[in-house]
Every structure is written in structure tokens, then in C-alpha cells.
Amino acid sequence: MKLKLSIAYDGTPFAGWQSQAAGDAVQDVIERALQKISGGRIVLHGSGRTDAGVHALEQCAHFDGEGPLSPNDWQRALNANLPPTVRILQAEEAAADFHARFDAKGKIYRYVVRNAPVLSPHEVDRVWHVPHDLNFEWLHDAAKIFEGRHDFAAFSANRGGTVRDTHRTVREVSVSQDGTLLTLTFEGEGFLYKMVRMMAGAAVRAALGREDVESLRRRLVGPGPRWNHVAPACGLYLVKVLY
């Protein structure tokens, strides 16, 4: 039986989603729980990576399970064997040919900024604290230039030409403000390594008056110089994987 998992996690203590040699990634933690429950090694396949420190409201993964456990049994057993920083929100049976990564049609990410002189200790590792004056209209205008299909080579940290095509389609970017809390939401077919954090960093620098919007736009027409201002991982959330 193939099981599809919806997973939420606090990324602060982990070295990202993908399994690491040190065994300190979210995938490692869940695979150890699967082995404890099943008595054998089970490989978990995620929809894609998240960086160290990035959070997930609903990551998706699948695995092939054997035995008498129902999806609800798997959910309860996993949550009983996982740290409180990782929760299985739902476990359900999937089609035999389902693949969490290859069947994904898109993703939604949210980036959160607290634009206030002082950051509450309850928001540490949850938001990017920007204490300087920020222009919301400039933030909105800069964020919206990323909509559409562009060459995002300048807004990617992919190394050594491992990605042949750096064109991506960003379907929608929305920007909202609730007092001093600013939220940028990106929906797209897929994102390059650190692309969302680079877009968020670019929009915030424009809002601070440290970057011209047109200079950002020019970086989208070809593989110009890489954008070097990457927003901190702590403000980024994987909201949903679209199927």
C-alpha cells in the first residue's frame, strides 16, 4: 500500500528536509520512526527539498508500507514516535503510481517579515526581523515583477550548472500587511535552489530603498550577475504542494 503523508514541521532544529549523512534532516527523523514501527528500512520520498531552518505548514511525501496498519494507524504511530517539532497532519492511501515529487504541479511558499524596531522573543526563528523603515508600495512593486515566466538564473544558488533550464513560471505573488507584519506569498510551478529567499530578499531591499526595481527586472531577461542578498531561512514557510 502506498501512503501519502501531509507533514508540518518547525525547521529550526533540522538541516533541511533531505536526508543528511549526520542524520539531522526531517526526512531522517521520519524514516527512523518508520523503521521503528515497521521493523525494517522504509524510504520516504518528499515533494522536494527545504533548506535548513525553513518551516513547512504542509510538506508532502510518500512511502510504500506493508502489513496490517491502516493510514490512520500509520498517522498515530508516526506521531507517537516523532519529536513535537514534526507532525503528520494526514496519512492517506495513494494510487499505486503516485509520486510526491514527480506528480507535483506547483508549490506555494510564504515569506514573513516583521518590520518593527524590536522583535518579540516569541517570533525568533519564525520571521525575518527588519527594524529599518520599509515602504510597502515599493515592496509590492518589486515583488510583482517576478510574476510570469522568466529566466531566474540570477535568483538561484544552483551550483555548477546542475540545472540546465533556469526558466520558471511564477503564477502569482501577493503581498499583504497587518500592522508591522508583512507577508509575501509565491505560487509557482517550481522553484530553483534558494529562489524564493532571493526574491524575498530583493523585494525587501527595494522596499528599503537600497535597490532599484528596474535593476531587478533586468536580471530576469538573461543570466546576469547572481543576486547575492538571500533572505534568512527562518522567515520562509512551505505552505502547500499542489497536485
Side-chain angles (χ1 to χ4, degrees):
M1 177 171 61
K2 181 164 288 189
L3 274 296
K4 176 185 175 185
L5 302 180
S6 297
I7 308 161
Y9 51 85
D10 171 6
T12 306
F14 299 108
W17 164 266
Q18 188 171 13
S19 181
Q20 301 292 315
D24 55 355
V26 178
Q27 181 182 356
D28 296 315
V29 171
I30 301 176
E31 286 187 350
R32 285 196 291 271
L34 288 168
Q35 183 168 1
K36 186 174 181 180
I37 296 165
S38 67
R41 184 168 185 267
I42 294 178
V43 177
L44 187 67
H45 302 273
S47 69
R49 306 178 184 183
T50 54
D51 297 339
V54 173
H55 315 292
L57 303 182
E58 191 176 344
Q59 168 70 287
C60 180
H62 79 267
F63 69 93
D64 293 309
E66 298 179 356
L69 295 182
S70 69
N72 287 339
D73 292 334
W74 277 109
Q75 180 187 13
R76 287 192 292 268
L78 282 168
N79 282 333
N81 286 279
L82 287 170
T85 47
V86 181
R87 291 291 91 179
I88 308 302
L89 303 176
Q90 184 178 21
E92 57 185 315
E93 186 173 356
D97 61 350
F98 172 78
H99 196 286
R101 177 185 174 189
F102 300 129
D103 288 348
K105 299 292 189 279
K107 292 181 180 178
I108 300 174
Y109 281 95
R110 178 182 302 154
Y111 199 92
V112 184
V113 175
R114 177 63 74 182
N115 184 217
V118 178
L119 181 68
S120 165
H122 303 295
E123 291 186 324
V124 172
D125 295 327
R126 298 290 184 275
V127 302
W128 179 13
H129 179 217
V130 179
H132 311 292
D133 289 343
L134 185 154
N135 186 300
F136 179 77
E137 289 187 10
W138 294 352
L139 180 74
H140 175 271
D141 292 346
K144 296 297 279 186
I145 71 168
F146 295 112
E147 287 186 337
R149 186 163 184 82
H150 306 287
D151 184 352
F152 284 94
F155 294 93
S156 164
N158 290 91
R159 303 179 182 89
T162 54
V163 176
R164 293 183 180 179
D165 185 4
T166 52
H167 290 80
R168 294 292 185 274
T169 300
V170 176
R171 297 170 184 150
E172 183 179 7
V173 182
S174 60
V175 184
S176 63
Q177 181 176 23
D178 183 6
T180 60
L181 192 68
L182 308 172
T183 302
L184 299 89
T185 303
F186 301 86
E187 179 182 336
E189 61 178 7
F191 298 91
L192 299 165
Y193 182 43
K194 293 189 179 179
M195 177 176 154
V196 177
R197 289 168 59 191
M198 287 186 174
M199 290 189 293
V204 168
R205 282 187 64 83
L208 292 170
R210 299 175 183 174
E211 193 72 32
D212 179 73
V213 172
E214 289 308 312
S215 72
L216 299 178
R217 195 189 308 275
R218 287 194 294 271
R219 291 174 186 261
L220 295 173
V221 299
R226 178 183 295 174
W227 178 258
N228 292 319
H229 299 281
V230 184
C234 60
L236 183 59
Y237 297 76
L238 172 58
V239 175
K240 192 175 183 63
V241 184
L242 306 174
Y243 292 97

